[in-house]
Structure formats: structure tokens, C-alpha cells
Amino acid sequence: MTDISGIDPSVPPSGPGCVECDEVGGWWFHLRRCAQCGHVGCCDSSPAQHATAHWKSTGHPLVQSFEPGEEWFWDFDRDELYDSGPELTQPGARPADQPAPGPAGRVPQDWTRLLHR
């Protein structure tokens, strides 16, 4: 996957965590970064599923994992996984000292019960 519509490698991520969860004091399981605009949202296992909501509201189809050590992309339109793709502007993942689930201090004790499966 190299020259694909919907990817702008020059756009930095919107921040170190899910934009919407941070706005309301929520928490997430894992993070996904929009490859077109840099929006960081929480994954579909997270209670709020903001990465998918971002795709539905903007039509931006491609996200990359925003987890340390992961390079894969997901295409919502095609329901397809890509093992890798173009390098996006750094940082390429959430801060390594930020736990998953995260962020520290906002994850409830019974977080596993609250995940979407």
C-alpha cells in the first residue's frame, strides 16, 4: 500500500489519546489514527468507539493503529487489513508510558466488563 487515496502522511496526530474521550474524561482500550486528517480515536473494543464514529461522520476510510510497535492499517470502506503502509508523521503511537487501557487514572476497575467484543 503506497499511493492510496485517503492517506496524507504529512498530517500529525491530533494528540496522544482519543480526542473525544479526552474531552469528556473517558477512557479507551486501544487507539487508532486517521491516515487522512490525523484524528486519534478509540478502537471498536473501547466503550465509545470513536475511530469508527470518525469514519462514519467524515468518510475518511483509513486508520493506522496508534499503539506502540504496531504498523497495520485498517480500511473501513473495504473492511480490509493492511500489514503496513506509508510512514505517517511522527509520533507514530501513543506515548510508551501511557498504559493500555488508558489513560492512567481514568480506567475503571471493571474495565474488562465494559469492552465491546
Side-chain angles (χ1 to χ4, degrees):
M1 183 169 77
T2 53
D3 186 25
I4 294 195
S5 175
I7 295 180
D8 184 345
S10 69
V11 177
S14 58
C18 176
V19 173
E20 292 84 2
C21 287
D22 278 342
E23 288 175 355
V24 298
W27 64 277
W28 53 80
F29 183 52
H30 288 137
L31 298 170
R32 308 293 178 240
R33 172 187 178 175
C34 177
Q36 188 165 344
C37 73
H39 174 274
V40 176
C42 54
C43 72
D44 282 353
S45 295
S46 300
Q49 303 174 329
H50 288 122
T52 295
H54 176 75
W55 162 60
K56 289 178 179 177
S57 70
T58 64
H60 298 170
L62 295 161
V63 293
Q64 184 179 37
S65 175
F66 202 56
E67 293 298 315
E70 297 182 1
E71 297 181 6
W72 58 264
F73 285 76
W74 179 257
D75 185 328
F76 284 109
D77 286 346
R78 295 185 174 144
D79 200 29
E80 192 169 352
L81 177 71
Y82 302 98
D83 290 333
S84 64
E87 186 172 333
L88 304 180
T89 298
Q90 295 296 312
R94 64 173 165 77
D97 64 349
Q98 177 180 288
R106 293 200 323 231
V107 180
Q109 291 290 328
D110 63 343
W111 66 269
T112 57
R113 184 182 64 76
L114 302 170
L115 293 178
H116 291 270
R117 304 196 191 258

